[in-house]
Amino acid sequence: MPHSLKKGTSYHWDLFLLALINFASGLFGFPLVHGKLPHSPMHVKSLSIIEEKVEQGYVEMKTLEVCETRLTTILSHALIGTTALMFPFPMQYIPQAVLDGIYIFVSLRSLIGNQFFERMLLIITEQSAYPPHSYVRRVPRYKIHIFTLFEIMELAVLCYLGLNSLSYMKMAFPVVVILLIPIRHLLMPKVIERKYLEALDKH
């Protein structure tokens, strides 16, 4: 779903800032930080005016307009920064189950509209009950499942490396992430035709 942005370059400024912070942290031996939550896409989507249309049997999500503003970004990150003032009081009095519940809610909420999760559900869904998404009608069912299984295997490898207790295994994590690029652009087209990959990417 394309974003109709007037100032598209600011879309990735927070990731650029993380890169600068990590560069400086590496020079002084400080631990690296990373964007665990994709703030940019989630933020832009929350400010978007989205229209859902059915054209020629396909359900298309079109972004009509994005209410671009710096105010929401400043306020949200300022509120995140105030959590540093909540130690040890009152954070020590908040039950761990409450914090876990917040993270579970955020995780489950992010699954809505996630194509990868939707394609995982298609594996156990009857074909007659498939949603009328454009890629479902344009890509053969078995090609969709092959693409999804590829991604599940890639996710499993990343989880194994990232959650491994051995430090040298964790060092391979960024290397595997970089390898996903040639896998997608060089290996996948040999298994799935490019026109089908483009249909999956456009959704």
Side-chain angles (χ1 to χ4, degrees):
M1 180 177 61
H3 295 297
S4 302
L5 296 172
K6 296 178 182 178
K7 301 176 181 177
T9 54
S10 62
Y11 186 81
H12 301 294
W13 270 116
D14 58 344
L15 298 180
F16 177 71
L17 179 60
L18 281 176
L20 294 179
I21 293 173
N22 283 335
F23 177 77
S25 298
L27 294 177
F28 293 98
F30 295 150
L32 302 181
V33 296
H34 61 91
K36 193 169 185 179
L37 294 176
H39 291 121
S40 286
M42 291 176 66
H43 181 236
V44 173
K45 188 175 181 180
S46 66
L47 296 176
S48 300
I49 300 174
I50 301 173
E51 182 182 46
E52 186 174 287
K53 298 192 302 183
V54 179
E55 294 183 357
Q56 300 179 351
Y58 302 143
V59 176
E60 298 288 348
M61 304 288 289
K62 184 178 180 181
T63 303
L64 301 179
E65 183 183 358
V66 177
C67 304
E68 298 181 59
T69 174
R70 293 186 177 92
L71 183 61
T72 54
T73 304
I74 294 173
L75 290 176
S76 61
H77 285 81
L79 290 173
I80 293 173
T82 57
T83 58
L85 305 176
M86 300 175 67
F87 292 96
F89 179 84
M91 289 295 289
Q92 63 181 355
Y93 296 104
I94 299 177
Q96 184 65 39
V98 173
L99 299 177
D100 292 342
I102 293 174
Y103 288 120
I104 291 173
F105 171 77
V106 171
S107 301
L108 294 177
R109 187 71 179 82
S110 65
L111 294 178
I112 299 175
N114 184 293
Q115 190 203 114
F116 178 49
F117 180 70
E118 290 176 351
R119 285 189 279 101
M120 289 177 65
L121 294 180
L122 293 182
I123 297 177
I124 58 173
T125 304
E126 289 287 341
Q127 190 171 8
S128 58
Y130 277 16
H133 293 315
S134 58
Y135 71 89
V136 172
R137 295 177 179 268
R138 295 173 183 171
V139 183
R141 181 176 59 169
Y142 75 97
K143 296 285 187 181
I144 296 176
H145 295 339
I146 291 174
F147 186 75
T148 305
L149 291 174
F150 257 96
E151 290 189 327
I152 291 174
M153 288 188 293
E154 291 168 350
L155 178 62
V157 171
L158 291 175
C159 289
Y160 174 76
L161 294 175
L163 301 176
N164 201 297
S165 59
L166 301 176
S167 59
Y168 66 87
M169 294 293 288
K170 291 183 178 181
M171 292 173 61
F173 183 88
V175 178
V176 176
V177 172
I178 294 174
L179 287 177
L180 294 180
I181 299 174
I183 289 175
R184 168 61 181 82
H185 292 282
L186 299 178
L187 179 60
M188 291 299 295
K190 297 181 183 295
V191 181
I192 302 174
E193 291 84 343
R194 290 187 181 274
K195 61 179 180 179
Y196 296 144
L197 291 173
E198 291 176 0
L200 289 166
D201 288 339
K202 287 180 181 178
H203 178 71

